[in-house]
Amino acid sequence: DAALDVFLAASMVDLRAKSLALADFLIEQVEGCADLNELSLLSPRDGQRRGSQVSFTHPHAYAICQALIARNIIPDFRAPDILRCGIAPLYLRFVDVEILVEALKEIVSQRIYLQDRFSVRSKVT
């Protein structure tokens, strides 16, 4: 019950505003980083047309997703080449987005996603 109290204290207006701010911040950070120019924004740039997630395309999205999961960062993969990053405004912080972007930079710029262990497809992605 105590965990549900957080939901009761948060207004939907405030949660939506934070969701938009976090998503905009993620997009700005990815697009502003030369190391991440292989990622292409798939989600609408206009926050009013976007839900509480941001999607990028990359030919190796599955492997990138698995490499992030190995770092306890849990995105989502959608075939054929979509990396989805959920924005949960109730408990995600801007620093969490920064952590995601730093991990993405390392995984993409160092081609860590090319390691065989990240390409093995499991039934649940």
Side-chain angles (χ1 to χ4, degrees):
D1 288 340
L4 296 176
D5 290 342
V6 176
F7 287 96
L8 298 174
S11 79
M12 288 306 293
V13 171
D14 291 341
L15 288 175
R16 179 64 176 150
K18 185 176 177 190
S19 171
L20 289 171
L22 286 167
D24 288 342
F25 182 64
L26 173 57
I27 293 167
E28 290 168 11
Q29 294 298 301
V30 169
E31 291 187 335
C33 178
D35 288 337
L36 296 175
N37 64 3
E38 296 175 18
L39 294 171
S40 298
L41 181 65
L42 181 63
S43 296
R45 190 170 305 281
D46 176 7
Q48 300 307 314
R49 296 182 51 229
R50 183 177 64 234
S52 199
Q53 58 89 17
V54 177
S55 295
F56 298 96
T57 60
H58 187 281
H60 297 278
Y62 179 84
I64 292 170
C65 182
Q66 297 309 304
L68 287 167
I69 290 170
R71 293 173 184 229
N72 293 318
I73 299 170
I74 312 299
D76 188 27
F77 169 76
R78 291 290 186 256
D81 63 355
I82 300 170
L83 177 70
R84 272 188 350 169
C85 303
I87 306 294
L90 195 59
Y91 56 84
L92 281 183
R93 307 162 297 167
F94 286 90
V95 69
D96 297 316
V97 172
E98 290 174 341
I99 291 167
L100 164 63
V101 172
E102 287 302 313
L104 272 172
K105 279 192 233 182
E106 185 176 337
I107 290 165
V108 173
S109 68
Q110 295 180 22
R111 303 284 191 255
I112 291 170
Y113 62 83
L114 293 176
Q115 294 176 14
D116 289 341
R117 65 187 174 128
F118 298 129
S119 296
V120 176
R121 299 275 177 141
S122 59
K123 291 182 181 179
V124 177
T125 60

